[in-house]
Structure formats: C-alpha cells, structure tokens
Amino acid sequence: MYLARSSAQSFMRRFSMHIDIVMMMMPICCKALLSPQYKIEHIYAPYKQPCKQQMSQEYKDESLHRILCKMDPDTFPSASQSRKAIEHGRLVVLRADDYCLPTSTSGGSTLDSTISNVGIIADSSITLHDGDVIAIRSRLDNGSYPQSCTKYVDPPTNIKDFLAVENPVLFEDDHIAIVNKPGGLDCIGEKRNDLQSILPFVLRPPENIIQKKPRSSQCYLPRPVHRLDRKTSGCVLVAKSKNAMRQFSHLFASRQLQKSYCAITFGIPRHLTGTIL
C-alpha cells in the first residue's frame, strides 16, 4: 500500500524509474489484448423447433433467454440469469447452414473451432432456427482482469482506439496506473463506451486477485481518480484499489496534486498569461 500513501514527489520518482520498462512491454501486451483467446465451455444439442401444429404464436416468438431456461435449467434457473449471460456475451450461436454437425455434440476440437470462428455472438434479438447450435464460451486469461471480475467476455469495441495511441499505459503497479486517454472518449460514460469500461481489459489485476480468483462482487475494478473532458487527450490517474482511490482523491481535493493542460491556439494571444472565465 506504499504508493497509495506516498507523497506526489515520491510517486514521481518511482514513476520515472519504471517508465522505460513499461514502454518496452507495451507492444507485447497490446498484441495480446487486441486478439483475446476464448474457449468453448459447453455445446448444446441442435435446436429443434416444434412442428407447426404444436407451435403457438407465443412459442414461435419465444426469446433466446426463455429457450435457455428450458434447455438448461441448472445453469439458467431464471430468466434474469439467462438475460445476463446474453448481455455479457457468453452465448454463441452456430447456424445450421454454416456447419454439418456430427451425431455427437460432446465438443470436439473441430466443432469448437468452427463455433469460435463462424458462430454469432448472441444478443437479445437473435432468432433461432431449426438445427442451430448454442454454445457457452469464456475468455482465456491474457494478463488482464479475469472474466470472473469483468463479467463481460469481450472488451468494449472502442478498445482499439485506446490501444492505437502511443504508450496507452504509461505506468502501472498493484495500486495505481497512469493511462494515456485519447480524445473523443469519455472517462466515465454509458453503455461501455468509456475509458472506465476499457480499463479492466488493458490493466493487469493486483496479485491478490490473481491468487484468490474472486467473484465479480468481490473485485475492485480499476477506475479513474479524476476526469478529462471527452475531447481532451492526456494522462489519467487510475486507482486499482479502494485505498488508492481514497488516498489520491484526498490529494486532489486538498490540491496536493494538480492537472496541467496544453492547448493549441490560432494566432498569438495578446496576453501570454491570464485567467479564462
């Protein structure tokens, strides 16, 4: 906990010592983050629609989350849990036209590979057809926060924009990180379209999370200590523990830490110093 309790001056000394090492590591980390690996945990038998005589209008329009509850009530005992599995990207659908299934769906490597490469990540609007196969997938460990903490299998789609900037992660240890936020990205926004949603997929978890493998409710996910406007690019301090968030929020509130901005102007200002109201 020494970094969370240290002064800003001590932190900057530590930051300058490690910045070169972190920059050398980033190309390897970014490559793994852009191409995460997945595994197929379970493959269900091909979906069978009831015959037309038995198919009521209600059953015909039945949503995927209700079908999951009927197919596997042990894994999805409630509609709420099946909805969350779909929202988090755990379900994949392989169309019957995309693959000639063997008589067994116990999960051979060929079928797993086909589902991973050709399968459609299911959302709430997907419609199942006769012969379609549903599979459950999970993300393999790639050094970032595990799926048990993030809940979501896939990172936000705008992670590529974040990783495209030069040195996206400038510093990181078990307590804090400093990231290089690109312009056009909210620090905290909605629908996973913000920096906070990206952070668990680009930062490594503290050692205690790696060892204990806690549930999502027991994980403290990294989050910005302060904000920058959407169009503003620059360094953002990230807390990776409750104690770090508390300590650095206090430093900002007591003005022991300050932010400096650089701006591009059109022409030369008449006064080189002043206050903008």
Side-chain angles (χ1 to χ4, degrees):
M1 312 305 287
Y2 55 92
L3 260 179
R5 296 172 181 169
S6 66
S7 65
Q9 183 178 5
S10 174
F11 158 70
M12 288 308 298
R13 285 200 302 268
R14 184 173 173 82
F15 171 73
S16 62
M17 290 169 57
H18 288 270
I19 187 67
D20 291 336
I21 298 175
V22 174
M23 285 182 177
M24 286 189 294
M25 292 172 61
M26 282 312 300
I28 301 174
C29 296
C30 289
K31 184 177 180 181
L33 296 171
L34 281 171
S35 303
Q37 301 296 312
Y38 306 95
K39 72 174 180 178
I40 302 300
E41 293 185 348
H42 185 73
I43 301 172
Y44 294 99
Y47 173 69
K48 279 193 175 184
Q49 289 182 329
C51 61
K52 292 183 178 180
Q53 290 81 1
Q54 298 175 344
M55 187 185 298
S56 64
Q57 185 63 33
E58 181 182 0
Y59 196 99
K60 184 187 299 184
D61 298 333
E62 195 167 28
S63 55
L64 175 60
H65 73 271
R66 294 189 182 278
I67 294 174
L68 288 170
C69 292
K70 292 180 179 180
M71 291 180 65
D72 190 353
D74 292 333
T75 304
F76 306 107
S78 67
S80 172
Q81 289 182 318
S82 58
R83 282 196 190 99
K84 287 180 180 178
I86 297 169
E87 178 188 349
H88 297 157
R90 292 181 57 205
L91 279 301
V92 182
V93 173
L94 179 64
R95 295 300 189 191
D97 297 339
D98 293 332
Y99 187 71
C100 182
L101 289 172
T103 54
S104 171
T105 56
S106 57
S109 58
T110 302
L111 183 55
D112 287 6
S113 177
T114 303
I115 293 174
S116 299
N117 295 330
V118 187
I120 303 168
I121 300 172
D123 59 24
S124 57
S125 64
I126 196 167
T127 301
L128 292 182
H129 304 292
D130 207 40
D132 290 350
V133 171
I134 304 173
I136 301 178
R137 66 173 188 149
S138 62
R139 186 178 74 249
L140 295 175
D141 179 30
N142 64 348
S144 61
Y145 281 71
Q147 184 183 321
S148 60
C149 290
T150 64
K151 298 183 181 179
Y152 289 90
V153 178
D154 295 304
T157 55
N158 55 4
I159 189 174
K160 292 182 179 180
D161 299 330
F162 173 80
L163 294 175
V165 302
E166 184 177 0
N167 302 317
V169 180
L170 296 170
F171 174 84
E172 181 181 12
D173 67 6
D174 275 357
H175 310 286
I176 65 165
I178 297 177
V179 300
N180 188 4
K181 184 188 90 68
L185 180 67
D186 286 321
C187 281
I188 301 175
E190 298 178 350
K191 297 181 179 179
R192 303 186 72 215
N193 192 29
D194 59 359
L195 177 65
Q196 181 168 270
S197 299
I198 294 174
L199 292 174
F201 293 90
V202 297
L203 300 178
R204 60 176 176 80
E207 203 61 40
N208 64 324
I209 290 182
I210 297 175
Q211 294 174 353
K212 296 181 180 178
K213 297 181 179 180
R215 298 189 301 272
S216 59
S217 60
Q218 300 172 313
C219 288
Y220 185 90
L221 294 178
R223 58 202 70 188
V225 178
H226 61 95
R227 302 191 187 195
L228 293 180
D229 292 339
R230 176 186 294 181
K231 295 183 179 180
T232 303
S233 61
C235 297
V236 174
L237 179 63
V238 176
K240 297 174 65 177
S241 67
K242 290 182 180 179
N243 189 53
M245 174 62 81
R246 182 172 58 251
Q247 295 291 335
F248 278 94
S249 295
H250 173 72
L251 290 176
F252 272 109
S254 59
R255 299 191 181 278
Q256 297 181 59
L257 287 179
Q258 296 181 351
K259 293 182 286 186
S260 297
Y261 293 86
C262 296
I264 299 175
T265 63
F266 293 92
I268 301 175
R270 183 178 301 176
H271 303 289
L272 299 182
T273 60
T275 302
I276 300 176
L277 299 177

